[in-house]
Amino acid sequence: MKKILLFILLVGVSLASCSQNTKQENNNTEKATDSIKTPVVSITHNTDSATIVKLLQEASEQPEGTNLMMFFGKKFINYPYVASTLDQNKEEALVINTKGLDCTTYVENVLTLTVCTKRKITDFEGFCNVLKDVRYIEGKVGYTTRQHYFTIWMEDNVKDGLVERVNLPDPPLSANRTPLVNYMTKHVEAYRMLNAHREWLPEIKAMEDKVSHTTFSYIPKQQLKDSNKYRDYINDGDIIAIVTDKAGLDVSHVGLASWHKDGLHLLNASSLHKKVIDEPMTLYQYLLKQKTSVGITLVRVK
């Protein structure tokens, strides 16, 4: 089916309808920085809004106690993996795309749907509101306020009360890490919008400096060989971030914890399988194939 690119300008509508969320107290025409223009909602397929509303309606009918992260996470199984889904426009926009997911937008959609259901939000406009909070620092749509590094993503969503850190057992089952992050400013040409707006580099550098001064706990890769010892600490649907030692990065991939009989697996939008999949390999086996992977860190929906 031919994809239709629909842009809905938000001038005068205050993200029209995305006004229910408490973070939308500011006029949506306010610029996140002087260099960022009025945001636009970009829907990459004309049925995206219908998909969101249908999923929210289905979730509202589930019994109390349903694991919503797994409910929504599995709804996207076999959806195609598409890289760089947020960077197809010339300017930053609130991109809504359920037809092609990368690892981050998969997790963001699942978390946003879960938060909406917990708040009894069943409309597309409310979904937009929550997604802004999930994806952007202080919910302000702009390239320099998008949480490009997952350490910032976790920190901001913890601060906003959308997720919480998973308490890990003391060493040797966990360790601490402070990454040195500078990948975006060292590889500007790899980022379409940033390359076109190099005036944004100081703000991206400030974000990198903040990550480089953030210490977080993680589970070293070798400790996951017997992942069953973490069953009391890691729940189905917890957000797993794969910590990397690749130069300039903090996290290389994200997904959801999925317990099988043989141990912990990763439910994720996979570039290897080109789709959303509950990875058949255990997470430990998966990490062994990722030579730069160091281990995992986790957050959980509140």
Side-chain angles (χ1 to χ4, degrees):
M1 181 182 294
K2 184 179 180 180
K3 292 189 175 181
I4 301 173
L5 183 62
L6 173 63
F7 289 100
I8 303 172
L9 291 176
L10 299 182
V11 181
V13 235
S14 298
L15 195 49
S17 28
C18 296
S19 57
Q20 295 178 359
N21 192 286
T22 55
K23 275 194 177 177
Q24 194 56 24
E25 294 174 356
N26 295 328
N27 187 311
N28 99 341
T29 58
E30 178 185 354
K31 297 178 181 179
T33 68
D34 289 341
S35 60
I36 296 174
K37 296 180 180 179
T38 302
V40 172
V41 171
S42 172
I43 304 177
T44 57
H45 195 284
N46 63 336
T47 61
D48 282 321
S49 58
T51 298
I52 293 298
V53 171
K54 182 175 181 292
L55 288 170
L56 290 172
Q57 182 59 45
E58 289 180 13
S60 71
E61 298 168 355
Q62 299 305 303
E64 187 176 351
T66 296
N67 186 321
L68 294 169
M69 291 291 287
M70 293 302 283
F71 172 79
F72 288 121
K74 291 183 177 181
K75 287 290 184 179
F76 290 107
I77 284 179
N78 291 324
Y79 277 54
Y81 174 90
V82 179
S84 304
T85 55
L86 301 185
D87 295 297
Q88 302 307 309
N89 301 316
K90 292 182 179 179
E91 301 289 342
E92 186 69 12
L94 180 65
V95 175
I96 313 295
N97 182 356
T98 61
K99 297 299 181 285
L101 302 163
D102 61 28
C103 66
T104 301
T105 58
Y106 169 66
V107 167
E108 287 182 338
N109 276 308
V110 170
L111 176 61
T112 301
L113 287 162
T114 297
V115 172
C116 284
T117 301
K118 287 177 173 287
R119 295 179 179 178
K120 302 190 184 305
I121 296 170
T122 58
D123 60 289
F124 180 66
E125 293 79 13
F127 174 89
C128 291
N129 250 347
V130 176
L131 180 61
K132 284 200 309 171
D133 288 347
V134 167
R135 182 174 294 166
Y136 294 96
I137 297 169
E138 296 183 355
K140 296 179 180 179
V141 178
Y143 189 85
T144 60
T145 51
R146 196 203 309 167
Q147 298 149 347
H148 295 281
Y149 290 96
F150 210 73
T151 298
I152 293 290
W153 190 99
M154 290 187 291
E155 184 178 83
D156 193 61
N157 281 293
V158 167
K159 185 179 75 172
D160 290 346
L162 299 178
V163 299
E164 60 186 357
R165 291 281 186 179
V166 174
N167 292 323
L168 299 173
D170 292 333
L173 299 187
S174 70
N176 291 324
R177 184 171 181 83
T178 306
L180 175 61
V181 167
N182 57 18
Y183 193 87
M184 291 182 71
T185 53
K186 292 289 187 182
H187 301 85
V188 179
E189 67 285 349
Y191 297 87
R192 177 181 176 182
M193 280 190 279
L194 183 58
N195 195 35
H197 293 279
R198 290 182 174 245
E199 68 273 17
W200 295 344
L201 279 169
E203 291 167 277
I204 298 300
K205 178 65 165 57
M207 182 182 295
E208 292 177 337
D209 289 345
K210 184 175 182 180
V211 177
S212 298
H213 288 87
T214 300
T215 300
F216 57 83
S217 62
Y218 73 102
I219 299 174
K221 176 163 59 178
Q222 290 300 322
Q223 296 293 345
L224 291 165
K225 185 173 184 179
D226 178 15
S227 60
N228 285 313
K229 59 192 173 187
Y230 292 95
R231 282 188 183 269
D232 291 338
Y233 303 98
I234 301 174
N235 296 340
D236 278 327
D238 284 349
I239 296 170
I240 291 178
I242 295 178
V243 182
T244 183
D245 62 6
K246 184 175 180 177
L249 290 176
D250 55 344
V251 165
S252 59
H253 188 55
V254 293
L256 305 178
S258 177
W259 284 104
H260 295 208
K261 289 183 179 180
D262 63 344
L264 184 61
H265 291 241
L266 188 68
L267 178 56
N268 70 119
S270 170
S271 61
L272 301 175
H273 297 281
K274 304 302 181 185
K275 62 182 180 181
V276 176
I277 188 171
D278 196 347
E279 175 58 56
M281 291 183 288
T282 66
L283 181 58
Y284 175 70
Q285 292 167 335
Y286 176 89
L287 292 176
L288 287 180
K289 294 180 178 294
Q290 312 301 315
K291 300 304 181 183
T292 62
S293 67
V294 173
I296 63 170
T297 190
L298 305 101
V299 291
R300 177 177 299 154
V301 65
K302 290 194 75 172

